[in-house]
Amino acid sequence: MAELEYKLIVGLEIHVHLATRTKMFCGCGLAYGEQANTRVCPVCIGMPGVLPVMNKTAVEYAVLTALALNCRVASHTKWDRKSYYYPDLPKNYQISQYDLPLGEHGYIEIPLPSGTSKRIGIIRAHLEEDAGKNIHTLGNFSAIDLNRAGAPLLEIVTEPDMNSAEEVGALARELQRIVRYLGVSEGDMQKGHMRFEPNINLHITRDGQVYKTPISEVKNLNSFRAIERSVAYEARRQLDEFVETGRTMQTGNKRTYGWDDVNQRTVLQREKEEAHDYRYFPEPDLVPVEMDEAWLAEIRGRLCELPLEMQKRFAGDYGLSDYDAGVLTGDRSAAELFDSAVGKGGDAKRVCNLLTQTGMKIANERGCTVAELGVAAEDLARLAMMADAGDISATAATTIFEEMTGGGGRPDEIAERLNLTQKSDAGEIESMVDEAIAANAEAVAEATSGGKKSKKALGFLMGQVMQRSKGQANPKVVGEILSRKLGL
Ligand code: ZN
Ligand code: MN
């Protein structure tokens, strides 16, 4: 059977953990990997009669993110109870926002491989509290850890504007960059700081008519790879199912799936309950949130240049490749260091290479940010200039950079101390070239013959000069003088 023509339609529901010091409605500290049930109090374990108190910082982080996502921020919002029964939710309801979300009608710009970008609509962004965690690995029973219960979560819902698994992955990565730039979340996928739930279906064209397949929601994805693979898998599965059963949105319900990472497939969990099953109603224990102009303006003042804007600026203004600009802006502190080192006279491409090939590598090995390497922008600029002038070799630049991160001093001092300065003094090099030419008549003859071996012979002569300089001559200068002397 011929392949049917179809369009993949994906929207995302995302939960982002906000990196506040304490939980959403109580004073318990947020922590990852602590002993189970040690970060709890009567409020977050749902004892009767306790009263929640709103965490102001969580609201500010949520508003800041909503602004970065170009949302309209509500001047008046409230809290609602979303009722459901689950062992990790001792109150039997979650405090969330229902009809008055904190942000609405925004968009996020996501980078595409072509160097262009695509705008994905944001339907809403609201604040809520997280549930606890069920643990099924201890034996023939389940245990519950409530350390996470009550942690502030920002839920973001996008329009179904993504049309490929790659676009879904790009949105996830871009959102991670944004929350890290804003400092509102560590965005660590492995620690569950960001959880993604794609809603997937197909618009299939057959005999001039469009059929929409029932939506699949894949729950709780916490790696970029799982996000992309589950979307691709569902597209394939839905197409097969349509061919087999002809099931569409009119004849089939929305279903919830999990992702089986071992077998790389989605697994049916249940047919989703409707919103009214949650019996939403206003939370009587919390006052509404009034966001006045002054407060909003203060939060708006904390916005920074966003990663994609920066990436485009680096590519456009400094002529970096989109790839390099993307790598650099993967870490805000690397991007900012690059920006100021170039501002202080370093060549953009050279500074970029030093940072991406050496700086980010070292930071990665040490598990820190580039900023934490403690390299000053002016020193980085100076190092780039030294490499460009041929005062040091590219290898030496790497060594010096490493030394600079340990507080080893200024690049000039380090080059001097480690004897890494190249000789570019033409007079001195000229006499070494003369010696090499005089001592290797055969190679000179071959190099100047223009034959097959001339290139190799020239390389040999280069090597002779470098040896005489004990490796310290600037190879570029040696090459120039050698060519001139040989009349090449
Ligand atoms: Zn608590
Ligand atoms: Mn939610």
Side-chain angles (χ1 to χ4, degrees):
M1 173 171 185
E3 193 82 338
L4 287 170
E5 202 183 298
Y6 69 88
K7 189 174 184 189
L8 174 64
I9 311 284
V10 187
L12 275 172
E13 192 178 306
I14 306 149
H15 287 91
V16 180
H17 254 233
L18 298 179
T20 51
R21 206 170 45 77
T22 55
K23 291 185 181 180
M24 189 65 235
F25 298 112
C26 66
C28 291
L30 283 180
Y32 174 85
E34 295 288 319
Q35 201 193 338
N37 300 311
T38 55
R39 303 289 180 124
V40 294
C41 73
V43 175
C44 56
I45 63 174
M47 289 290 135
V50 294
L51 287 174
V53 177
M54 184 191 89
N55 181 336
K56 188 179 173 192
T57 305
V59 173
E60 293 180 342
Y61 281 5
V63 169
L64 186 58
T65 313
L67 288 171
L69 298 177
N70 308 289
C71 287
R72 213 178 294 155
V73 173
S75 53
H76 170 92
T77 62
K78 65 177 175 63
W79 305 97
D80 298 281
R81 287 188 182 182
K82 179 183 183 180
S83 300
Y84 65 97
Y85 177 87
Y86 208 64
D88 63 13
L89 189 74
K91 292 201 299 275
N92 291 337
Y93 63 83
Q94 175 192 33
I95 303 176
S96 181
Q97 298 189 294
Y98 182 50
D99 52 342
L100 293 176
L102 187 141
E104 277 184 294
H105 310 298
Y107 62 87
I108 178 173
E109 205 78 46
I110 61 167
L112 299 180
S114 53
T116 57
S117 59
K118 179 175 175 179
R119 188 172 285 197
I120 307 295
I122 302 287
I123 297 174
R124 56 183 280 154
H126 73 252
L127 249 182
E128 59 187 29
E129 55 176 343
D130 205 353
K133 213 165 154 182
N134 293 320
I135 298 163
H136 308 290
T137 52
L138 301 177
N140 194 21
F141 58 90
S142 289
I144 297 167
D145 177 7
L146 293 175
N147 281 352
R148 206 180 64 183
L153 279 185
L154 180 63
E155 178 178 320
I156 300 164
V157 183
T158 80
E159 296 280 359
D161 289 344
M162 286 154 278
N163 303 112
S164 69
E166 291 72 31
E167 286 182 10
V168 182
L171 187 140
R173 289 185 180 90
E174 193 56 27
L175 184 66
Q176 184 190 51
R177 281 208 297 188
I178 290 174
V179 297
R180 285 179 169 175
Y181 267 55
L182 297 175
V184 298
S185 174
E186 287 171 46
D188 190 328
M189 302 282 281
Q190 276 167 354
K191 293 182 182 171
H193 291 159
M194 298 177 83
R195 307 199 291 269
F196 293 82
E197 302 181 339
N199 275 250
I200 307 152
N201 82 331
L202 305 178
H203 292 183
I204 300 171
T205 308
R206 191 170 67 187
D207 304 328
Q209 201 172 336
V210 178
Y211 299 87
K212 298 179 181 179
T213 56
I215 293 174
S216 299
E217 176 170 341
V218 186
K219 300 298 282 184
N220 260 328
L221 299 168
N222 61 0
S223 83
F224 295 126
R225 207 185 55 166
I227 293 167
E228 289 173 341
R229 291 195 178 171
S230 64
V231 169
Y233 181 89
E234 265 305 304
R236 189 71 241 173
R237 192 199 61 71
Q238 290 188 11
L239 189 64
D240 290 347
E241 186 184 68
F242 176 78
V243 170
E244 238 172 76
T245 67
R247 205 196 306 269
T248 65
M249 270 176 147
Q250 281 73 42
T251 56
N253 288 323
K254 177 174 177 173
R255 295 195 203 122
T256 301
Y257 288 83
W259 175 246
D260 175 352
D261 206 47
V262 176
N263 297 303
Q264 297 283 303
R265 61 186 299 265
T266 58
V267 183
L268 182 64
Q269 288 180 341
R270 62 191 154 92
E271 300 215 344
K272 195 175 167 81
E273 59 267 54
E274 294 299 317
H276 62 251
D277 288 349
Y278 290 127
R279 205 168 50 92
Y280 277 103
F281 68 92
E283 164 63 61
D285 291 339
L286 283 163
V287 291
V289 185
E290 306 292 342
M291 171 83 36
D292 61 30
E293 274 309 314
W295 192 15
L296 187 59
E298 193 275 309
I299 299 169
R300 197 185 294 276
R302 299 186 212 168
L303 278 173
C304 60
E305 187 180 15
L306 293 179
L308 187 58
E309 282 169 50
M310 228 171 179
Q311 182 178 336
K312 286 179 172 173
R313 181 163 64 82
F314 288 176
D317 292 2
Y318 298 135
L320 297 186
S321 69
D322 190 56
Y323 175 80
D324 278 343
V327 174
L328 264 184
T329 50
D331 173 353
R332 179 177 169 183
S333 72
E336 285 175 347
L337 183 56
F338 166 83
D339 218 6
S340 50
V342 173
K344 290 183 190 306
D347 172 69
K349 186 66 193 159
R350 178 73 72 173
V351 173
C352 170
N353 285 346
L354 283 167
L355 277 174
T356 55
Q357 289 163 23
T358 309
M360 292 177 98
K361 212 176 113 219
I362 298 172
N364 206 16
E365 282 162 10
R366 298 186 190 166
C368 66
T369 65
V370 168
E372 284 162 348
L373 294 176
V375 171
E378 54 189 352
D379 288 343
L380 179 57
R382 174 72 194 129
L383 181 64
M385 288 186 242
M386 286 162 68
D388 277 332
D391 297 342
I392 51 170
S393 69
T395 323
T398 305
T399 311
I400 294 168
F401 195 117
E402 265 179 44
E403 197 68 14
M404 280 159 64
T405 66
R410 313 290 310 266
D412 301 78
E413 293 160 17
I414 297 169
E416 199 67 35
R417 173 156 50 80
L418 300 181
N419 206 16
L420 291 169
T421 311
Q422 288 187 144
K423 290 199 175 79
S424 298
D425 175 44
E428 205 177 333
I429 292 174
E430 232 176 285
S431 61
M432 291 188 285
V433 170
D434 287 338
E435 280 171 41
I437 287 176
N440 298 283
E442 207 177 318
V444 169
E446 260 172 19
T448 51
S449 71
K452 274 186 200 163
K453 291 180 180 168
S454 59
K455 210 169 173 184
K456 198 178 160 199
L458 190 62
F460 171 78
L461 289 169
M462 277 282 297
Q464 290 300 304
V465 179
M466 290 307 287
Q467 224 173 56
R468 282 177 163 73
S469 79
K470 299 191 174 63
Q472 289 189 339
N474 180 344
K476 202 168 149 244
V477 178
V478 174
E480 279 161 14
I481 294 175
L482 193 57
S483 295
R484 176 160 53 78
K485 296 243 173 205
L486 295 176
L488 296 173

